[in-house]
Amino acid sequence: MATTTPDLARVELNIGGMTCASCAARIEKKLNRMEGVEATVNYATEKARITYSGALRVADLIATVEAVGYTAAPPAPAVPAEAGADDAGGRADDELRTLRERLTTAVALAVPVIVLAMVPAWQFDYWQWLSLTLTAPVVTYAAWPFHRAAYTNLRHGAVTMDTLISVGTAAAFLWSLWALFFGSAGTPGMTHGFELTISRSDGGGNLYLETAAGVTAYILAGRYFEARSKRMAGAALRALMELGAKDVTVLRAGGEERIRIEDLAVGDRFVVRPGEKIATDGTVVEGGSAVDASMLTGESVPVEVGEGDAVTGATLNAGGRLVVRATRVGSDTQLARMARMVEDAQNGKAAAQRLADRISAVFVPVVIALAVATLGFWLGNGAGATAAFTAAVAVLIIACPCALGLATPTALLVGTGRGAQLGILIKGPEVLESTRKVDTIVLDKTGTVTTGRMSLLAVRPAEGEDEREVLRLAGALEHASEHPIAQAVATGAADRVGTLPVPEDFRNLPGLGVEGVVDGHRVVVGRRKLLAERSMELPAGLARAGAEAEAAGRTVITVAWDGRPRAVLEVADAIKETSAEAVTRLRALGLTPVLLTGDNETVARAVAAEAGIDQVIAEVMPEDKVAVVKRLQAEGHAVAMVGDGVNDAAALARADLGLAMGTGTDAAMEAGDLTLVRGDLRVAADAIRLARRTLGTIKGNLFWAFAYNVAALPLAASGLLNPMIAGGAMAFSSVFVVSNSLRLRRFRAAA
């Protein structure tokens, strides 16, 4: 996938042949040495994300990767979703199958070798020669990927984890061959026991066949379970990519035609029957239904949609027949954008991982030097060749830095994938650090805490008037107006009383209201000034109700007919049902909520009180929202910002952590660090919890990976660690890191 800007181009390459984190570090280092190139190579996703100057070509980048001994290729051209998924899954399955075959061979042959070496009572006259026969296929066929990778890297003047494994197992096998053919180990009836510590000996009677076979089996097992776990870790993104519909029924020339989803164009009208997926993002032009968007948003309750409502591709039509006009297709759809954001996040690197990569890059040569030094030290101190050799091999085997390389990518894979399933999109690993620091969360009012649209909240009829009649007459008149407040009254009336009559002699009075005839009554609906112009004075009860509503920050609409005031209607941008609960959850995370709005102080205070927010910053112009965030930061706060509009984009970008509501504008989502696909503020709390949990998992992984190497290397160099045990421990460290990351799949949104 390549994109271009006037001066720079970007490309993502699939990298083949990497076996450890130091491989990724070598490729990254080589690419970054090229003039005008900035590259990030991710071992877990096996991809390189490269920004390069226009003077270079993709072929130059591929040639550089191949010169280091690996393969590189641009992503395959776009194909139907199911084909792409099958191809990717097929390649991964082939790799797993080959790895499983080598592992099965290694385990089947290594187990009897290890048992014979550990139990002297079972060591019959020629047991050592049987062990040699069983070990040979293990260190050749089963361990061949290690030897091949070590040779390839050696040709390019580099050493990696495979070098350590290849040298260690080959040394153990060759030592055993020498002891069998030229030493005393081949003598019929020879026995020796299995020890975790090293005793002095000349080495001529010592065999290390169980080490060569056991280490190969252990490390292959680690590689196999690591590969399986990495495939599981990326399952959420693959599932997201496969959500979309494969074909669609379009309306053309007065009839229906079934076409592939790739052939659908913006503006096409298509049919969605009950039980079918909505093919792409669009607007309902006919019909009504309930739409299940749980696969994209994590929200289990279906949403009712009708004519004029926007719908999202890949969601499920759970009710009636819909006709939808396509507004976005292909890579512009919300599903494609979600998948792209998740993949971008998984390909990034946190600061801690960059440190781990730098360590991995120098770790292998340092370990080889340490192994040589260990060999020399023990030989120089008279410990004997056996002790010296065993300690040196243990150093080689125990030190592989795989766990360091997997610590961050696997946690990111699982965390971002799980987030996508819950409707939470994390832009990159740097975001995770921000979630730990924030202590203040600024909430934009309109569209974030409130619904963002006017709603009829209350009807205050005058004494003796019927509320349903007030709604019927006022709603009928307001239905003919396009003003947002009028539409709020009309919608509220229709919801409460049903079908509204059609008005006659309708007149719109700009800035004041509307008037007309409904069922023979001359009806006036609008501001109090409109009634005053017609010499109608509000009775005391209605005047008092209007004043109370205005004090609460609501808009007051008066209703009169036949020359007499009949009621006061209260209209406002209603607070979302979940906002108060969301504020409670944010406080529980240690965050102080602040309401930010351009509305007047009275309205803002009323909304804040209802949502449970103490701090209010009101009457702020859109361009001043950035200044508010800067001021809070200057006061020492780490600020998170939640918003959904174009006017929030700059503030979202300025905040330490920007959370964009997915129901808002594209500009806001581009500026945010986290995107909340659902327009539910509670998801903000879930997003911060998930991000913090992911960061905690990364730090836990890195701690154990570092601690493992720091603790194990001195033991190995001291001769206190058998090489076979070292191999098992090394394999376990990688599996532990990946398994620990997979625990993030169990993350649940708060009930």
Side-chain angles (χ1 to χ4, degrees), residues 46 81 115 127 129 157 262 285 325 409 452 476 489 496 573 591 670 711:
E46 298 181 335
V115 170
W127 70 272
W129 296 101
E262 294 79 24
V285 295
R325 178 180 289 110
V489 172
R496 300 183 198 189
D573 179 7
L591 304 175
E670 286 296 324

Side-chain angles (χ1 to χ4, degrees), residues 3-39:
T3 57
T4 307
T5 62
D7 300 314
L8 296 175
R10 296 178 180 83
V11 69
E12 187 179 89
L13 298 179
N14 296 324
I15 305 297
M18 291 193 298
T19 55
C20 65
S22 55
C23 296
R26 284 185 56 234
I27 299 169
E28 188 174 298
K29 185 177 180 181
K30 193 74 172 178
L31 286 169
N32 284 323
R33 282 180 176 172
M34 298 176 70
E35 188 69 30
V37 171
E38 185 176 328

Side-chain angles (χ1 to χ4, degrees), residues 97-151:
R97 184 164 51 251
T98 302
L99 201 50
R100 185 166 56 244
E101 288 170 357
R102 294 186 188 276
L103 172 61
T104 302
T105 301
V107 170
L109 298 179
V111 167
V113 173
I114 295 170
V115 170
L116 284 173
M118 293 178 67
V119 186
W122 291 359
Q123 293 171 0
F124 51 89
D125 284 351
Y126 293 98
W127 70 272
Q128 64 271 49
W129 296 101
L130 175 62
S131 292
L132 176 64
T133 304
L134 295 174
T135 302
V138 177
V139 296
T140 52
Y141 165 71
W144 177 246
F146 307 133
H147 303 317
R148 181 181 57 204
Y151 172 70

Side-chain angles (χ1 to χ4, degrees), residues 361-375:
V362 299
F363 197 65
V364 175
V366 167
V367 166
I368 291 177
L370 181 60
V372 173
T374 299
L375 181 68

